[in-house]
């Protein structure tokens, strides 16, 4: 650029008419508003968009999923997003919100300065001197507009200071300070939301359940077609019932003249009933015993169908009039009679001494009472199923337990899936010894005598707490009244636990293998063991009844285990563990909303600045004066430079290529300091400025 000449200055000098423009002389207002608006809007909107994109695009599906932290137990998902992305990166990006919001305070105040300048210029032009700020208030306004946080502290001290040392707060000051305070509060909320999100976001192990179809996995259980058809071709009775007086052919091997009938694959029944099978296991839920698969893979959840049994029992020994033996020897056999009637809720009589069959398989012959005393006659049950385990079952045709049948389900009963039955049992001295010595149940057992022959308790009835009676071996006699429902089960296996989803009556003939199988003596060993274990653990009659009911259910569903078919699951899901970020929903959405609110404030301030610019009050010229740069220029430069300045820089002679002064600090008489101006006369430096 060539040297400036007088002719150049003359040709470029602005005429007075050109100085009076509607929107003032200074340029760049629209650019400044646009840049400040972009700074307010773009970073916060972009940051919110990035956070939402990362969270929602990488969000894990909720397929009955759980999560764990470290070695803790699995927890439900709760109110959080689970994001397949680095938790550290997410937290870092979120933390930029508070940083950017703080940096953008000055941009927000630049936008608002146009509104303040418009009002300031209007008040000045209209002569509203009472609304104009003092020099000190103007200095506070300039610092606040400049985005200096410490200016707020000066304002607070000024506001709450002595009114004798200040004038009232003018509109331009309280409007600027009010917006600055609001913005600082908003930044504080963003910072708190950022901290909340930072503390709540963690890396966790996410267990996702994905649909799967593993080859060969068949957890369901069903009977073969031969078990579902009438095995003997019997014609149903007119009422639709089927008489199953013999076990169903599909589960038994009939044998021959040498070999007795037995269960097909009886080994599998024994293993299943004892939970020792490598194929099946009996699982319990809500009173149901369900035949399920052995040890399903731990990372699989599934739904399947099977068969289940649900039994409820109650102890009715005393209600059947049973007597407790008080000595080592029983004086008369009929002391062991029992007679169950309406009081016990069933029709059954018998004698505890007749529970074991004789060599011919019939009840043993007990001596008759002397003198023909009818009260001393031996009570003989007419259809008790006897065994070698001092335990006999009585089945009934009706739910009132009045019509006795020899085999469960026989007698033309329409509903073969319902069993009404009672069990009579004896437990002997070895169990009494064990209980009296260890007493785990806390029963009131006292006084084990020193009888050298029997060493039995001398209590009147040591088993009264269980509603049982003592026998002459020192053990206990008892009677339970029960009912069993066999059903087809739809169950869920979730997180290693079976849950019964629903149950329904079995299909036609589906209950026959279970009913007929449990009616025979194949399961007596398992049932007797279950009775003994229930007796040991029981603290009251309810414990004893519930324990034996579970043992009976386990035996019922295990009877056809040797011929049961494995069928596929209804659906299968596999657990897949992934390291993800757990992002709490509440702080995440709070941070996003606050970011958007910050951007909305920027949009409102942009609209305010645009409106102010359109008022025609030379707003840009006024706004430029509300700055430190303008005040410095007014103090140290020729005021005439401001008459035609087109931007802030042109308020300074140096920026116009003209000679300028230097600013220094001089000393006052009191030893203080004040500004002073120094004129540099160096021709070399002056020449540099003119080029």
């Amino acid at each position: 650029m060539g040297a400036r000449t007088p002719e150049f200055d003359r040709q470029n000098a602005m005429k007075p008419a050109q100085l009076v423009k509607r929107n003032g002389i200074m340029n760049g207002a629209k650019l400044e508003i646009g840049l400040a608006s972009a700074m307010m809007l773009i970073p916060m909107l972009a940051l919110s968009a990035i956070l939402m994109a990362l969270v929602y695009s990488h969000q894990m599906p909720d397929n009955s999923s759980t999560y764990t932290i470290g070695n803790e137990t699995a927890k439900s998902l709760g109110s959080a997003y689970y994001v397949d992305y680095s938790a550290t990166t997410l937290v870092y990006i979120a933390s930029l919100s508070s940083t950017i919001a703080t940096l953008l305070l000055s941009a927000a105040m630049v936008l608002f300065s146009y509104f303040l300048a418009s009002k300031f210029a209007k008040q000045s032009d209209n002569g509203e001197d009472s609304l104009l700020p003092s020099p000190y208030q103007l200095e506070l306004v300039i610092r606040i507009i400049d985005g200096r946080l410490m200016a707020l502290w000066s304002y607070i001290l000024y506001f709450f200071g002595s009114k004798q040392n200040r004038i009232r707060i003018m509109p331009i000051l309280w409007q600027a300070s009010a917006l600055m305070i609001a913005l600082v509060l908003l930044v504080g909320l963003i910072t708190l939301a950022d901290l909340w999100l930072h503390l709540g976001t963690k890396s966790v192990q996410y267990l996702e359940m994905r649909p799967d179809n593993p080859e060969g996995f068949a957890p369901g259980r069903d009977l073969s077609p031969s078990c579902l058809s009438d095995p003997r071709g019997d014609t149903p009775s007119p009422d639709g019932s089927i008489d199953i007086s013999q076990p169903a052919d599909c589960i038994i091997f009939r044998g021959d003249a040498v070999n007795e009938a037995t269960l097909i694959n009886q080994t599998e029944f024994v293993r299943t009933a004892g939970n020792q099978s490598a194929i099946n296991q009996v699982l319990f839920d809500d009173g149901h015993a369900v035949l399920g698969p052995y040890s399903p893979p731990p990372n699989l959840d599934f739904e399947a169908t099977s068969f289940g049994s649900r039994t409820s029992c109650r102890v009715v020994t005393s209600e059947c009039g049973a007597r407790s033996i008080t000595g080592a020897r029983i004086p008369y056999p009929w002391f062991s009679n029992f007679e169950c009637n309406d009081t016990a809720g069933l029709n059954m009589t018998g004698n505890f001494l007749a529970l074991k069959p004789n060599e011919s398989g019939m009840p043993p012959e007990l001596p008759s009472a002397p003198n023909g005393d009818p009260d001393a006659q031996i009570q003989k049950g007419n259809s008790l199923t006897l065994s070698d385990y001092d335990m006999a079952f009585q089945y009934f045709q009706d739910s009132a337990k009045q019509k006795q049948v020899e085999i469960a389900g026989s007698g033309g009963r329409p509903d073969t899936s319902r069993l009404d039955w009672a069990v009579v049992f004896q437990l002997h001295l070895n169990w009494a010894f064990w209980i009296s010595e260890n007493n785990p149940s806390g029963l009131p057992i006292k006084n084990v005598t020193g009888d050298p022959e029997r060493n039995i308790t001398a209590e009147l009835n040591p088993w009264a707490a269980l509603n049982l009676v003592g026998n002459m071996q020192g053990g206990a006699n008892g009677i339970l009244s029960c009912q069993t429902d066999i059903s087809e089960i739809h169950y869920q296996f979730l997180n290693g636990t079976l849950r019964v989803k629903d149950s329904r009556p079995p299909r036609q003939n589906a209950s026959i293998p279970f009913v007929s199988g449990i009616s025979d003596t194949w399961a007596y060993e398992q049932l007797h063991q279950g009775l003994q274990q229930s007796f040991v653990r029981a603290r009251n009659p309810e414990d004893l009844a519930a324990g034996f009911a579970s043992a009976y259910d386990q035996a019922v569903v295990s009877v056809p285990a040797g011929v049961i078919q494995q069928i596929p699951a209804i659906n299968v899901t596999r657990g897949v563990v992934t390291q993800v970020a757990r992002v709490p929903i509440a702080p995440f959405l709070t941070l996003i909303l606050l970011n958007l609110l910050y951007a909305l404030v920027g949009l409102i301030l942009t609209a305010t600045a645009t409106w102010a610019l359109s008022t025609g009050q030379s707003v840009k010229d006024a706004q430029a004066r509300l700055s430190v740069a303008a005040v410095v220029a007014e103090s140290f430069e020729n005021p005439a430079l401001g008459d035609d300045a087109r931007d802030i820089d042109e308020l300074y002679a140096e920026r116009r290529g003209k000679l300028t002064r230097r600013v220094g600090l001089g000393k006052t008489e009191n030893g203080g300091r004040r500004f002073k101006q120094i004129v540099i006369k160096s021709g070399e430096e002056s020449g540099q400025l003119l080029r």
Side-chain angles (χ1 to χ4, degrees):
M1 180 177 180
R4 298 178 59 178
T5 63
E7 179 65 18
F8 178 85
D9 292 336
R10 184 184 64 79
Q11 292 179 358
N12 289 277
M14 300 183 68
K15 297 180 175 62
Q18 291 178 293
L19 298 177
V20 186
K21 296 198 302 182
R22 181 175 182 274
N23 290 322
I25 297 175
M26 285 198 172
N27 301 321
K30 293 181 179 180
L31 177 61
E32 186 177 46
I33 292 174
L35 289 176
S37 177
M39 291 176 64
M40 287 286 292
L41 295 175
I42 295 176
M44 303 306 286
L45 291 176
L47 193 60
S48 300
I50 291 172
L51 281 174
M52 289 190 292
L54 289 176
V55 169
Y56 293 119
S57 65
H58 294 82
Q59 185 177 358
M60 302 293 288
D62 181 6
N63 297 324
S64 302
S65 304
T66 58
Y67 78 95
T68 57
I69 301 177
N71 296 323
E72 297 179 2
T73 57
K75 300 178 181 180
S76 58
L77 296 183
S79 183
Y81 297 120
Y82 293 84
V83 185
D84 188 12
Y85 201 79
S86 169
T88 303
T89 304
L90 282 175
V91 168
Y92 172 74
I93 295 174
S95 67
L96 295 177
S97 297
S98 56
T99 303
I100 294 175
T102 304
L103 295 176
L104 294 181
L105 286 175
S106 59
M109 295 309 299
V110 165
L111 291 173
F112 194 58
S113 68
Y114 282 89
F115 172 80
L116 296 176
S118 173
K119 295 294 184 182
F120 190 29
K122 182 178 180 181
Q123 293 164 356
S124 301
D125 294 344
N126 294 342
E128 300 175 2
D129 299 343
S130 61
L131 299 179
L132 299 178
S134 66
Y136 183 76
Q137 289 188 6
L138 180 61
E139 183 270 339
L140 287 178
V141 170
I142 291 174
R143 282 201 290 155
I144 291 174
I145 289 176
D146 205 29
R148 299 183 184 182
L149 294 178
M150 290 305 297
L152 286 180
W153 177 246
S154 299
Y155 171 76
I156 292 172
L157 294 178
Y158 180 73
F159 182 84
F160 290 103
S162 174
K163 293 185 178 180
Q164 295 179 354
N165 297 328
R166 68 171 177 84
I167 65 173
R168 68 185 181 89
I169 308 297
M170 293 298 120
I172 189 173
L173 177 57
W174 70 256
Q175 289 170 351
S177 58
L179 177 65
M180 187 66 169
I181 291 173
L183 289 173
V184 169
L185 290 176
L186 181 55
V187 171
L189 291 175
I190 292 175
T191 303
L192 290 176
D194 176 20
L195 179 62
W196 185 15
L197 181 64
H198 182 89
L199 295 176
T201 301
K202 301 180 184 297
S203 291
V204 300
Q205 299 293 323
Y206 183 83
L207 177 61
E208 177 193 358
M209 305 309 297
R210 298 178 181 175
D212 199 359
N213 185 24
E215 184 177 355
F217 182 61
R221 297 293 183 264
D222 200 1
L223 294 168
S224 64
S226 62
C227 289
L228 297 175
S229 61
D230 184 2
R232 298 163 307 281
D234 296 339
T235 302
S237 59
D239 63 0
S241 64
I242 300 175
D243 187 357
I244 53 171
S245 57
Q246 296 294 328
D249 287 343
C250 73
I251 66 169
I252 68 166
F253 175 73
R254 287 291 180 182
D256 49 33
V258 178
N259 299 312
E260 296 182 355
T262 184
L263 286 173
I264 296 177
N265 194 5
Q266 185 167 353
T267 301
E268 181 57 32
F269 155 68
V270 173
R271 290 173 177 170
T272 302
N275 270 341
Q276 301 297 319
S277 172
I279 301 174
N280 305 298
Q281 72 172 320
V282 180
L283 303 167
F284 289 86
D285 177 58
D286 193 26
H288 291 276
V290 181
L291 186 62
Y294 168 75
S295 186
N299 61 338
L300 290 185
D301 287 353
F302 56 88
E303 291 187 25
T305 57
S306 184
F307 292 93
S309 175
R310 188 172 191 174
T311 297
S312 60
C313 294
R314 63 190 182 95
V315 184
V316 295
T317 310
S318 61
E319 289 85 344
C320 290
R323 305 171 186 176
S324 183
I325 307 303
T326 59
R329 297 174 180 82
I330 184 170
Y332 303 107
W334 53 85
F335 273 34
S336 295
N337 283 346
F338 58 84
E339 184 174 358
C340 306
N341 47 37
D342 292 342
T343 304
L346 68 152
N347 174 30
M348 185 177 68
T349 61
N351 188 288
F352 286 108
L353 299 177
L355 294 184
K356 280 191 176 183
N358 56 25
E359 294 180 357
S360 63
M362 301 300 293
E365 292 293 333
L366 300 179
S368 300
N371 304 323
D373 184 357
D375 293 333
Q377 298 299 316
I378 301 299
Q379 297 284 359
K380 296 182 178 180
N382 58 2
S383 58
L384 280 170
T385 304
L386 305 180
S387 71
D388 293 330
Y389 292 99
D390 289 312
M391 180 173 62
F393 286 85
Q394 176 67 69
Y395 290 94
F396 298 90
Q397 183 181 345
D398 58 329
S399 58
K401 300 178 183 175
Q402 298 298 310
K403 300 178 181 179
Q404 300 176 351
V405 291
E406 294 184 3
I407 297 179
S410 63
R413 179 172 181 168
D415 181 13
T416 58
S417 64
R418 169 70 181 260
L419 301 178
D420 293 283
W421 52 278
V423 60
V424 185
F425 60 87
Q426 282 191 313
L427 295 171
H428 296 298
L429 181 62
N430 56 332
W431 286 95
F433 267 147
W434 197 94
I435 289 292
S436 63
E437 292 175 359
N438 296 277
N439 196 21
S441 61
L443 295 173
I445 302 172
K446 308 173 184 177
N447 299 333
V448 176
T449 68
D451 187 327
E453 183 176 356
R454 297 290 185 183
N455 192 29
I456 64 169
T457 176
E459 289 292 312
L460 179 63
N461 181 10
W463 313 116
L466 299 180
N467 192 10
L468 305 178
V469 295
N471 58 38
M472 69 178 185
Q473 287 84 15
N477 296 341
I479 304 172
L480 288 93
S481 176
C482 307
Q483 53 276 339
T484 300
D485 289 292
I486 299 169
S487 56
E488 294 194 41
I489 300 291
H490 178 190
Y491 70 88
Q492 295 176 314
F493 197 84
L494 303 175
N495 298 324
T497 303
L498 182 138
R499 292 286 181 266
V500 174
K501 191 172 183 180
D502 58 69
S503 61
R504 60 182 176 86
R507 291 158 288 172
Q508 184 176 2
N509 299 329
S511 62
I512 293 178
F514 299 93
V515 173
S516 60
I518 198 66
S519 300
D520 213 306
T521 59
W522 293 307
Y524 270 43
E525 180 178 355
Q526 288 74 23
L527 293 174
H528 191 258
Q529 290 175 356
L531 178 62
Q532 292 173 330
Q533 293 169 0
S534 302
F535 174 77
V536 171
R537 297 168 182 166
R539 298 180 62 88
N540 51 54
E542 291 74 21
D543 290 346
L544 176 62
F548 185 68
S550 296
Y552 188 87
D553 284 332
Q554 182 146 347
V556 169
V557 297
S558 300
V559 165
V563 298
I564 209 78
Q565 292 185 338
Q566 303 178 44
I567 59 175
I570 298 174
N571 61 66
V572 182
T573 55
R574 180 180 298 276
V576 179
V577 178
T578 309
Q579 179 101 0
V580 301
R582 184 181 189 272
V583 181
I585 293 177
F588 176 76
L589 293 182
T590 300
L591 181 62
I592 294 298
L593 291 176
L594 289 174
N595 285 351
L596 296 178
L597 178 60
Y598 200 93
L600 178 62
V601 170
L603 188 63
I604 294 173
L605 292 177
T606 300
T608 303
T610 304
W611 170 82
L613 197 62
S614 67
T615 58
Q617 301 291 334
S618 301
V619 174
K620 177 56 183 175
D621 296 75
Q623 186 263 352
R625 266 66 182 179
L626 294 177
S627 66
V628 175
V631 173
V632 171
E634 291 285 343
S635 301
F636 298 107
E637 295 284 6
N638 186 345
L641 292 175
D643 293 344
D644 62 348
R646 290 166 296 181
D647 55 43
I648 290 291
D649 284 356
E650 290 193 359
L651 293 174
Y652 294 91
E654 177 184 356
R655 299 302 294 161
R656 292 193 181 203
K658 297 181 179 181
L659 290 175
T660 184
R661 300 181 179 94
R662 302 295 179 92
V663 177
L665 290 173
K667 289 186 178 181
T668 65
E669 295 179 355
N670 297 326
R673 294 284 186 176
R674 64 184 301 173
F675 287 112
K676 67 177 182 178
Q677 299 187 59
I678 304 170
V679 177
I680 303 296
K681 298 181 178 180
S682 169
E684 181 181 356
E685 185 169 344
S686 299
Q688 291 175 353
L689 290 174
L690 289 173
R691 285 199 297 269

